[in-house]
Amino acid sequence: PYVYDAVLRKWLDAVVLVLTARIEGVLSVCLRNCIRPPLVLREEFALPVPDQRPSCTLWEVPAGLLEEGDVGIAGIKNRAAAEALEETGYPIPADDFALLPGAPFLSPGVIPERIHFAHAAVADVHRRSNPTGDGSPVEDGAIVKWFALGEALTMCERGVIADTKTELALRRLADRERRGENR
């Protein structure tokens, strides 16, 4: 026997939203910036490399945990539609989402969470309401903003975007763009 840290929670897997739009002909992606309480706690620990810019917020793609009843492809698409409205204010029908290949484990050494990437193109980035939120303080005051894909990738390389699921989503999106699959 040995000591091992593991995180388990009621809802395990998640859907990651890859919302895109052509803004002035440039493929752009919707990101949000909101508070992430575990980041606040980092400052309380001895870090092997001190954080250059400690912050309790970060830029990331919208995402949400799959809940009871979110079963199969239809369930993932339904959750994607619900999260789009909750986190960005965009009313996107579930049928407008396409699941992208591959559902990686986020951090298999700690949590068995698997993430499913759901892509939808937003026809009009100005047709949006205030995000409905989910009632948690984590979603209060979130900023929703569009970034050109190239700019977002540069933000990853510079450490401005420091979220693994977001960087993976952006790199997969860029690969699809190079193959002509985002038209």
Side-chain angles (χ1 to χ4, degrees):
Y2 61 97
V3 176
Y4 197 92
D5 294 329
V7 176
L8 297 174
R9 56 185 178 211
K10 182 177 181 181
W11 311 116
L12 195 57
D13 289 355
V15 62
V16 173
L17 281 59
V18 184
L19 303 180
T20 61
R22 296 268 170 199
I23 300 175
E24 297 179 9
V26 176
L27 182 63
S28 299
V29 63
C30 183
L31 300 179
R32 62 193 299 269
N33 187 289
C34 62
I35 191 167
R36 290 292 178 225
L39 297 179
V40 175
L41 301 175
R42 279 186 61 82
E43 295 177 8
E44 296 179 13
F45 294 91
L47 302 175
V49 177
D51 286 341
Q52 297 298 317
R53 294 175 293 120
S55 176
C56 61
T57 67
L58 55 73
W59 285 104
E60 63 184 335
V61 287
L65 293 173
L66 299 176
E67 299 176 13
E68 187 173 354
D70 294 338
V71 178
I73 293 172
I76 295 170
K77 288 180 174 185
N78 286 335
R79 177 57 41 206
E83 294 297 333
L85 192 58
E86 282 180 14
E87 296 194 2
T88 69
Y90 287 105
I92 303 171
D95 288 339
D96 286 6
F97 282 94
L99 295 186
L100 302 180
F105 291 100
L106 194 53
S107 183
V110 178
I111 186 170
E113 177 181 7
R114 177 167 255 164
I115 54 175
H116 303 270
F117 294 99
H119 173 256
V122 175
D124 182 356
V125 298
H126 302 292
R127 188 177 163 255
R128 145 181 199 266
S129 61
N130 287 327
T132 60
D134 65 1
S136 74
V138 171
E139 293 194 359
D140 288 346
I143 299 167
V144 176
K145 186 174 175 183
W146 288 90
F147 293 89
L149 178 57
E151 178 185 4
L153 288 167
T154 298
M155 291 167 67
C156 290
E157 292 162 8
R158 292 185 178 155
V160 176
I161 293 176
D163 176 62
T164 302
K165 73 181 176 303
T166 299
E167 183 165 349
L168 181 56
L170 295 174
R171 295 203 181 281
R172 287 187 176 189
L173 182 62
D175 287 344
R176 290 173 54 85
E177 180 73 354
R178 277 191 287 279
R179 290 191 307 264
E181 297 176 17
N182 293 323
R183 305 282 174 223

